[in-house]
Amino acid sequence: MGRRSLLCLAVVAAVALTGCTVQRHWGGSTSAGGGGKAKIGLVTKTNTNPYFVELRNAADAAAKAQGADFVALAGQFDGDNDGQVRAIENLMQQGATTIMITPNSSTGVLDAISRARQNGIMVIALDTATDPATAVDATFATDNVAAGREQGQYVKAALAGVTPKLVMIDGTAGSTVDTYRHNGFLEGIGLKDGDSAIVGREPANGDQSTAQQKMENLLQRSSDINAVYTMNEPTARGAFAALQARNLQVVMGSIDGGCQGVQNVRDGQYAATVMQFPRKMAQEGVDAAVEYARTGQKPSGFIDTGSVIVTDKPMPGVPSQNTDWGLQNCWGTK
């Protein structure tokens, strides 16, 4: 068994099977904040979702380019808050100078984050904000309300004045990203929770197979729909499979902007996706971590890394880019 495999097993044991993806390991302890080498830990929601894989790979590449040490850990599934807490504790023991995290719960990791910061570790939220936002030093993320609003505005425009008959395939109930995107979409399409235009809604935890099953269940109750909101692109692919089985044509939007998702739009699986830029989140987070280790200076507040609608069916009054642009820029400049 190779050194890397042994290391991963050791870390898994240390964090009680929270999931492990190790890019580089460091030993011993360090004094965080000023005059030293950056030792960066990343804790993502899972290590299987393509979005978080891209975030992890981008952070690893950025750290290597700047000579920083890097370790990536993850929960076992979307919503594994306890796993993320144990990962934070593990990174503290390993001497991280900065921990970057995409929190499964905006509140569930606050105690662990607080302990890390009390020990001089800078903590940066990526992709998902904490509640309160001041629980971390800074947040590099998509404005998820804005991304949801963009999806809603597009779907409304594509319906061309026809009253929505909407199904909503949400993410993980109670999560910040899910709530923000859901509420933003409703704002963009001009509806409120409880409106009769919402035919049904189900959480799918960002999972493709779960989304397909939930969409199939909703369609058994009523197939009289013309619009679908999806929280992310795996969800959209699952919803599409259920719709295709019934030969239903609807206006469906999504959010992520990965290369596969942009190709899905080009192939007509859904009408539009709202691209995020995880590479930018990772790069800016690593830049901040290196600067903190070097000078002790920290970023602060919320830094919006942007979002762009990608579609081959542009709508008047809704700014967008086509899939040619999308495939050149999926999740950030390739």
Side-chain angles (χ1 to χ4, degrees), residues 284-327:
E284 293 189 1
V286 168
D287 287 348
V290 170
E291 180 67 18
Y292 176 58
R294 188 175 68 85
T295 69
Q297 294 183 352
K298 300 178 180 180
S300 62
F302 180 88
I303 296 92
D304 181 9
T305 50
S307 58
V308 175
I309 297 173
V310 177
T311 182
D312 285 332
K313 299 177 181 178
M315 294 293 145
V318 183
S320 65
Q321 296 283 354
N322 63 23
T323 58
D324 287 339
W325 181 92
L327 290 171

Side-chain angles (χ1 to χ4, degrees), residues 166-175 178-179 182 186 193 198-222 225 227-232 234-236 238-239 242 252:
L166 173 68
V167 162
M168 304 189 75
I169 305 297
D170 289 318
T172 301
S175 75
D178 178 64
T179 300
H182 175 100
L186 291 179
D193 279 320
I198 302 174
V199 176
R201 60 177 290 195
E202 287 285 353
N205 299 324
D207 179 73
Q208 181 171 335
S209 60
T210 303
Q212 182 174 348
Q213 180 182 12
K214 293 296 182 72
M215 177 60 83
E216 288 170 350
N217 293 343
L218 288 168
L219 291 175
Q220 287 175 2
R221 301 175 205 169
S222 175
I225 66 172
V228 176
Y229 158 83
T230 62
M231 185 266 187
N232 67 2
T235 301
M252 181 160 63

